[in-house]
Amino acid sequence: MSCVELLPVIVTLFPVDEDHAPLLIDPAHARLARAAEVVDGDTVLASFPAYARREGMLRSDYFNDQYEAHPMPYDPTCGCGSCTEMAAEQGPVVNLGDDNPWEVCDPWAADALALIVPANHLA
């Protein structure tokens, strides 16, 4: 078992429009975590891509729908478009997995920030 630091955040706005599914979980438990610290069952809500960082503030990029992470080993040769795209990434890459039956790979730079609701808050 390893220790993981979850950074508290305030979720002030979740997009409510035809492009985003409604949240099925309470965002009060949302935390920032590095992708390498996401564990099986965590719900991933958003990423913080470099282009979304403005004026020293982290700006979240919410996904169309939250998903449950199922981390697995990253394989840059798996053949899916996502893993192939991350093959040029400088530094370690992790595969958060996904509960989507059509695309199970979800590679992230290991030090990238994700907005998650930890699995232990969902039980």
Side-chain angles (χ1 to χ4, degrees):
M1 178 186 263
S2 63
C3 295
V4 175
E5 178 183 3
L6 298 175
L7 307 170
V9 297
I10 298 172
V11 179
T12 58
L13 181 63
F14 178 78
V16 181
D17 57 30
E18 64 278 355
D19 292 332
H20 293 85
L23 281 180
L24 302 176
I25 56 173
D26 184 355
H29 297 293
R31 300 288 182 262
L32 282 178
R34 299 208 183 285
E37 299 169 340
V38 173
V39 300
D40 192 62
D42 287 350
T43 299
V44 183
L45 303 176
S47 65
F48 296 87
Y51 69 81
R53 296 176 190 172
R54 296 191 183 107
E55 301 167 13
M57 298 289 289
L58 288 175
R59 307 283 296 173
S60 59
D61 183 13
Y62 281 95
F63 303 124
N64 294 357
D65 198 1
Q66 63 267 337
Y67 69 91
E68 189 174 301
H70 299 290
M72 62 186 77
Y74 169 65
D75 177 7
T77 64
C78 89
C80 83
S82 298
C83 287
T84 303
E85 186 176 306
M86 289 297 290
E89 178 70 25
Q90 301 296 315
V93 175
V94 296
N95 187 348
L96 298 186
D98 195 333
D99 56 1
N100 176 343
W102 298 279
E103 180 77 37
V104 296
C105 294
D106 186 25
W108 290 56
D111 64 348
L113 294 176
L115 181 63
I116 67 165
V117 174
N120 61 355
H121 285 293
L122 299 174

